Amino acid sequence: MTLKTGRRETLSRDWLSKTLAGVIGGFGLAIAASGLLACLTPGALDEQNKFQVAMWLVPPVWIGVMSGSFVFRSGRRAWIGLAAANALGFAMLALARHFFIR
């Protein structure tokens, strides 16, 4: 892809780093989202169905985050952004478990 400045910019810059960030960071975010769903929906579904829905939430979230990891400008930014999102997700899960599970 040629930019207006005449520089040649490739779309595949840092693709390996972005892919690994998406795979690892996406899995963590998917697990945090699944845990939040299971924790924040007490009584909404019976126990078996609630955990089944939480389990099936993991692949779509994981794939979505993996796909979104290529939007970052560099692999380093992907790692930093997904690490921050994971920290926030697991902090929210810890707070939810602390306040909602007795």
Side-chain angles (χ1 to χ4, degrees), residues 9-95:
E9 189 74 27
T10 62
L11 294 175
S12 62
R13 188 176 77 180
D14 290 342
W15 68 270
L16 182 60
S17 181
K18 290 178 187 179
T19 301
L20 289 174
V23 168
I24 296 168
F27 182 71
L29 278 176
I31 295 299
S34 176
L36 279 169
L37 176 76
C39 190
L40 295 177
T41 56
L45 299 169
D46 62 341
E47 289 293 315
Q48 183 179 3
N49 289 336
K50 178 172 70 170
F51 292 117
Q52 190 74 18
V53 169
M55 180 185 71
W56 283 103
L57 177 69
V58 172
V61 172
W62 192 6
I63 291 169
V65 173
M66 284 191 305
S67 300
S69 69
F70 293 99
V71 174
F72 290 97
R73 288 182 183 238
S74 68
R76 183 172 185 236
R77 287 186 183 191
W79 278 104
I80 291 170
L82 291 175
N86 269 290
L88 179 65
F90 280 104
M92 289 173 50
L93 180 59
L95 285 173

